[in-house]
Amino acid sequence: MASPPDQPTPPDLTTPIDKLPGVGSKRAHALAALGLTNLGKLVAHLPMRHEFQAGEAKIAELTPGQIVSTRGDITATRPVFIGRLPRFEAVLMDGTGRLDLVWFNQNFLRDKIHPGARVRVQGELKRRGAKLQLANPRWEPLGDDEPASRRERLRPVYPASERIKSWEIEQTIAGVLDAATAQIEEHLPEPFRRERNLPTLAEAYRMMHRPESEEEVAAAHRRLAFDELLMLQLGVFLKRAHLRGSLRAPALRHSAEIDQRIRARFPFALTSAQDKVVADIVRDLTTSVPANRLIQGDVGSGKTVVALYAMLLAVASEHQAALMAPTEILAEQHHANIARALGGSKVRVALLTGAVTGPERESVLARLARGEIDIIVGTHALLTETVAFHSLAVAVIDEQHRFGVHQRATLRVKGGTALRAVSDQSRAHGSESRTTKSRATGSRAAPEPEPSTPHVLVMTATPIPRTLGITLFGDLDISTIDALPPGRTPIETRVVTPDQRADAYAFLRERLDAGEQAYIVVPTIDDGGTALRAVNPNESAPGSESHTTEYPGSESRATGNLTNVRALMKELEAGPLAGKRIAALHGRLKRQTREHVMERFRAGRIDALVATTVIEVGVDVPNATVMLVEHADRFGLAQLHQLRGRVGRGAAKSHCILIGEPATPNALERLAVLADSADGFVIAEKDLEIRGPGELFGSRQSGASPLRVADLMRDRELLAMARRDAREWIERSPALARPEERTLLRRLLKAYGETLGLGDVG
Ligand code: ADP
Ligand code: MG
């Protein structure tokens, strides 16, 4: 039925904000500035919290002894300094009566509440002789036309702005809420919802914006949080199903003989922790389901050897393998180590970084495409460049870095996509030059798709707390190298207070005098520390300063100038380390400069590096035995552990000295975890407990977390439920392609399509 032409059409969810009834252009602009450009977005703007609001009444109607809410004009104010506590008094009138307001110990209010101001106040009403009084009432300035609500209720408090107040947002939403919720499509089937006792999406939104009770707020929260988690998990499982269903990787051969030949290349026996992971990898790589495995292990646990095992397995089946490192210098280091381990064998190893140029580069690329290189080592740029492989079977990404979960997923997904493109090319290439080496498929009735993607292994030294790892990496299998190779001298870690700095540096100097080297880490580069972090908040490159952990308020506490590289360099050169060769290293230096400094340090031509966390990803310098961290209280525990991994790589005993500011709440206790434990997992769990999981998604400033309502810590149970449900769902319906899943799939792709690289799924 068409509506009569003179009747305005009711708004739908896509109706622009300025076309909504009752929204003037000023308000529309202010809402648009918050990103609320249409009705759908407006209704998706959820309150941060709810406040109990007593029904408003005139002063004359108020009953002493009750929590009351009223409004009026401030007619007089005065600060009072007699008595035990200073207090601020004000008089409120509304034409029906007079109410005395008093706030204790809040004299700053005299700058905020002036005679003539219109305010709403709420508090417990007391009779004081003939007078009515509210002590320490909640108060807020009132807009001229802000309506009074005579009913008691839970008032939503919205994220607002200078231009538009929470109550105005509330008023706008209230005006269109019913029209909006009537159109919110449900994407969960009714029985599914009922079984889990979840309200409909429309009900959930209504209950968030206009709750009848605390219970409704909780129910709405539960539904919306569950939705987010379910979507995320569905996305993860969908991706996995897609990979498994549509792509094939080369199934590699494995035998006792191959195993022996590979192991003979290592100068040591693998630890049983490494053996376990090798077994996982062998299981993966001998099938044609593309592997997607995260190999996590503490710094120094021996991940590279395990990766090399996987790569040699590819070579044994006459395929190629690639190892990608986050920096050129690390790629060079990997290349040198692998070339050394494979010296005298027939395996052809090559390096491809930005530094390999000209005819040499041409040659490497050509040989790679012809299959004359078995193992290529390069930077992550190998992923993005159009490098043609002859037959890439195993791609190892050495991350060595604390990417947030979010970034890691993106990297992996990007990696997967790029690598697929690469190997598609190689297939095209291979088919014209010579027959492909993949197994014959003739024996099967339905021909298997040809190998088109490599197995992907990601190595990381950033342990993901067990509780979260399983949940967030539904699409990644995880193997953990959970013990260090034998014969390591543990690093001695000490937490000291700033008044022991002189001793700490005296000790460090002794080590330098003995011919050893040191890292000295500070939170920022120069005095513009805060600004610095904002320089490139999205930079996820290794060593990016944006990863520096911040604790609220730590900036303002930082007195003195020892938080930054430049100032500390000066101080050390003039005093404690006078005469020593020290150099600065930080993310604002050019990459070449950085690598040059690192190279000189490795060669022993620099005694101490004064650095930011760029050194977190680093080259092995066995002679570096001291790690000193200034303002250690400003770093996350996992990050400190990672930093500490820079030392303890040689035979000599290593030391880690954490200078912590005792003024920071719990700082020393937090740091003590590091002194007590050398286990990255224990530390990561503690870190999670202390800081919450938000940061795992990457830097909070860049808004990387896809979760708006759910909180991974608080909503752990919902998370477990969402994970179980998502797995079962995708098992039943691997592509979410049923007609009744259309809304769900659309929303899923909208929410996580980009993050999870689901572009080719929908
Ligand atoms: P990470 O996990 O930090 O990448 P690496 O693979 O670089 O660790 O290994 C750290 C060091 O330990 C290397 O010098 C490596 O040769 C050595 N290593 C690895 N596995 C073993 C083992 N099973 N026994 C003895 N040394 C080992
Ligand atoms: Mg390594």
Side-chain angles (χ1 to χ4, degrees):
M1 264 202 302
S3 35
D6 55 334
Q7 202 82 7
T9 41
D12 65 37
L13 295 173
T14 63
T15 301
I17 201 83
D18 57 341
K19 298 284 184 307
L20 294 177
V23 180
S25 81
K26 185 161 164 265
R27 204 177 268 193
H29 275 109
L31 289 166
L34 289 171
L36 312 178
T37 48
N38 64 29
L39 178 57
K41 289 182 177 164
L42 179 67
V43 173
H45 189 65
L46 297 174
M48 312 178 272
R49 61 192 151 86
H50 294 84
E51 278 176 358
F52 173 75
Q53 163 103 58
E56 259 185 61
K58 297 287 181 195
I59 293 173
E61 305 164 347
L62 300 178
T63 317
Q66 291 191 347
I67 304 283
V68 300
S69 176
T70 189
R71 63 172 63 198
D73 297 311
I74 298 289
T75 56
T77 66
R78 65 167 182 164
V80 181
F81 293 99
I82 25 181
R84 216 159 36 85
L85 289 177
R87 61 184 194 272
F88 179 72
E89 296 180 349
V91 175
L92 184 81
M93 313 266 271
D94 74 348
T96 72
R98 164 191 168 136
L99 185 56
D100 289 350
L101 310 174
V102 57
W103 287 272
F104 293 98
N105 227 356
Q106 295 186 48
N107 273 354
F108 61 86
L109 288 177
R110 69 181 151 181
D111 298 326
K112 306 204 156 189
I113 300 179
H114 302 284
R118 280 181 63 69
V119 298
R120 171 169 45 216
V121 291
Q122 173 169 309
E124 188 181 346
L125 188 67
K126 296 248 169 68
R127 185 176 290 288
R128 294 252 178 270
K131 292 180 175 173
L132 289 173
Q133 188 199 61
L134 290 182
N136 293 321
R138 203 168 82 198
W139 71 279
E140 63 201 321
L142 267 185
D144 284 341
D145 45 1
E146 183 175 349
S149 161
R150 300 190 63 87
R151 220 160 62 85
E152 87 172 35
R153 66 193 182 112
L154 284 171
R155 189 163 62 111
V157 181
Y158 293 94
S161 71
E162 289 281 297
R163 289 163 66 185
I164 186 161
K165 301 214 161 49
S166 174
W167 73 263
E168 292 173 295
I169 297 176
E170 180 189 353
Q171 193 184 50
T172 310
I173 292 179
V176 293
L177 185 61
D178 292 331
T181 53
Q183 297 173 58
I184 294 179
E185 252 181 283
E186 181 56 58
H187 56 249
L188 295 179
E190 159 103 43
F192 179 95
R193 236 178 4 81
R194 272 232 233 93
E195 253 171 53
R196 288 155 188 79
N197 200 15
L198 296 164
T200 63
L201 206 51
E203 282 168 332
Y205 277 106
R206 197 275 300 155
M207 293 190 291
M208 271 293 182
H209 293 299
R210 202 177 58 217
E212 297 292 336
S213 63
E214 300 272 1
E215 288 71 36
E216 283 201 348
V217 174
H221 174 88
R222 186 163 168 275
R223 164 70 207 250
L224 297 178
F226 175 76
D227 249 35
E228 282 185 347
L229 296 167
L230 181 73
M231 290 281 189
L232 179 61
Q233 298 291 300
L234 279 174
V236 158
F237 284 110
L238 186 66
K239 175 82 188 174
R240 182 189 181 103
H242 177 68
L243 273 178
R244 302 200 156 200
S246 65
L247 295 173
R248 286 289 171 271
L252 304 177
R253 287 193 303 269
H254 186 257
S255 66
E257 196 232 315
I258 291 176
D259 179 72
Q260 260 173 21
R261 240 170 43 215
I262 294 177
R263 286 174 190 266
R265 284 283 148 198
F266 306 145
F268 38 70
L270 295 191
T271 62
S272 58
Q274 285 168 319
D275 274 333
K276 253 187 346 205
V277 176
V278 164
D280 290 343
I281 291 175
V282 167
R283 217 177 314 113
D284 281 356
L285 269 46
T286 48
T287 76
S288 60
V289 176
N292 239 331
R293 185 171 290 278
L294 184 71
I295 304 171
Q296 54 175 358
D298 225 334
V299 267
S301 60
K303 294 181 288 294
T304 319
V305 175
V306 169
L308 185 54
Y309 188 106
M311 293 194 281
L312 289 173
L313 210 55
V315 178
S317 289
E318 288 160 46
H319 286 287
Q320 294 170 303
L323 171 60
M324 283 150 287
T327 65
E328 296 204 348
I329 196 156
L330 274 171
E332 281 165 23
Q333 183 175 296
H334 274 312
H335 176 254
N337 288 343
I338 291 174
R340 194 175 341 109
L342 299 179
S345 79
K346 285 185 297 209
V347 182
R348 296 157 298 183
V349 184
L351 177 71
L352 187 64
T353 63
V356 179
T357 54
E360 197 191 341
R361 188 177 191 84
E362 294 303 309
S363 157
V364 170
L365 290 173
R367 283 183 291 143
L368 202 54
R370 285 199 303 267
E372 294 166 14
I373 288 170
D374 301 303
I375 295 179
I376 184 89
V377 183
T379 51
H380 289 165
L382 263 185
L383 291 175
T384 50
E385 283 173 37
T386 43
V387 176
F389 288 86
H390 181 259
S391 174
L392 181 64
V394 172
V396 182
I397 303 171
D398 184 6
E399 206 174 274
Q400 293 252 327
H401 189 252
R402 30 182 254 104
F403 277 117
V405 163
H406 184 58
Q407 290 151 306
R408 195 200 312 268
T410 312
L411 169 69
R412 190 188 55 71
V413 164
K414 280 208 185 106
T417 318
L419 285 167
R420 190 157 71 236
V422 162
S423 54
D424 283 348
Q425 273 179 6
S426 79
R427 200 173 42 179
H429 185 99
S431 58
E432 63 193 42
S433 62
R434 60 159 142 157
T435 49
T436 166
K437 283 171 188 159
S438 64
R439 293 143 310 127
T441 52
S443 57
R444 295 270 302 267
E448 240 178 76
E450 267 192 80
S452 62
T453 189
H455 298 286
V456 174
L457 303 175
V458 180
M459 298 195 282
T460 177
T462 306
I464 305 159
R466 272 175 263 263
T467 35
L468 285 182
I470 321 164
T471 317
L472 290 169
F473 287 103
D475 64 332
L476 268 188
D477 298 307
I478 300 183
S479 291
T480 304
I481 305 182
D482 52 11
L484 296 183
R488 296 280 163 85
T489 350
I491 301 164
E492 190 177 304
T493 299
R494 266 182 300 155
V495 179
V496 305
T497 47
D499 55 336
Q500 296 164 283
R501 270 184 90 235
D503 292 342
Y505 278 102
F507 171 81
L508 187 143
R509 187 175 178 109
E510 268 172 36
R511 298 325 312 152
L512 300 189
D513 286 341
E516 295 167 18
Q517 289 165 286
Y519 299 97
I520 299 162
V521 176
V522 285
T524 59
I525 298 173
D526 54 28
D527 285 327
T530 322
L532 169 75
R533 292 194 190 122
V535 165
N536 192 353
N538 293 322
E539 185 189 337
S540 60
S544 147
E545 253 75 29
S546 65
H547 288 287
T548 305
T549 307
E550 287 147 85
Y551 290 91
S554 62
E555 206 56 43
S556 51
R557 259 198 310 279
T559 49
N561 47 18
L562 302 170
T563 60
N564 74 69
V565 171
R566 296 210 173 102
L568 185 61
M569 282 279 290
K570 265 200 218 128
E571 193 213 280
L572 295 180
E573 275 167 349
L577 301 185
K580 292 293 168 195
R581 296 164 302 177
I582 47 188
L585 192 71
H586 54 76
R588 242 197 262 156
L589 296 173
K590 281 213 206 66
R591 187 172 49 76
Q592 287 103 310
T593 313
R594 231 152 60 186
E595 299 196 351
H596 181 64
V597 169
M598 212 45 231
E599 189 44 53
R600 276 166 48 220
F601 185 63
R602 178 161 69 167
R605 304 215 309 276
I606 293 170
D607 299 312
L609 284 181
V610 178
T612 57
T613 55
V614 283
I615 58 149
E616 183 176 270
V617 171
V619 180
D620 271 359
V621 182
N623 193 47
T625 58
V626 183
M627 166 67 58
L628 184 150
V629 183
E630 292 269 6
H631 289 273
D633 49 295
R634 295 227 212 153
F635 297 91
L637 293 185
Q639 188 172 26
L640 288 169
H641 178 63
Q642 186 81 11
L643 283 168
R644 174 167 69 175
R646 294 287 100 222
V647 297
R649 301 202 155 226
K653 177 154 186 67
S654 287
H655 300 267
C656 173
I657 304 169
L658 305 172
I659 304 183
E661 186 67 58
T664 316
N666 309 333
L668 297 186
E669 186 195 332
R670 233 166 47 82
L671 293 176
V673 174
L674 284 167
D676 294 344
S677 176
D679 182 334
F681 287 96
V682 172
I683 292 162
E685 292 278 358
K686 282 273 187 241
D687 217 19
L688 178 70
E689 263 171 42
I690 296 167
R691 290 155 61 210
E695 305 224 336
L696 284 172
F697 278 110
S699 59
R700 232 176 287 193
Q701 311 91 296
S702 65
S705 172
L707 303 178
R708 294 192 312 138
V709 182
D711 175 323
L712 292 176
M713 245 1 211
R714 187 192 49 204
D715 299 325
R716 275 178 191 215
E717 274 174 44
L718 284 179
L719 188 59
M721 179 166 123
R723 182 172 165 78
R724 199 184 51 233
D725 287 343
R727 187 195 295 122
E728 287 171 12
W729 198 317
I730 296 294
E731 272 166 20
R732 280 194 314 272
S733 177
L736 297 181
R738 299 175 188 170
E740 66 270 24
E741 291 167 338
R742 201 175 304 146
T743 308
L744 178 72
L745 181 64
R746 180 167 49 77
R747 289 189 176 147
L748 175 61
L749 292 178
K750 195 163 163 220
Y752 298 120
E754 208 173 310
T755 319
L756 295 170
L758 293 168
D760 47 351
V761 172

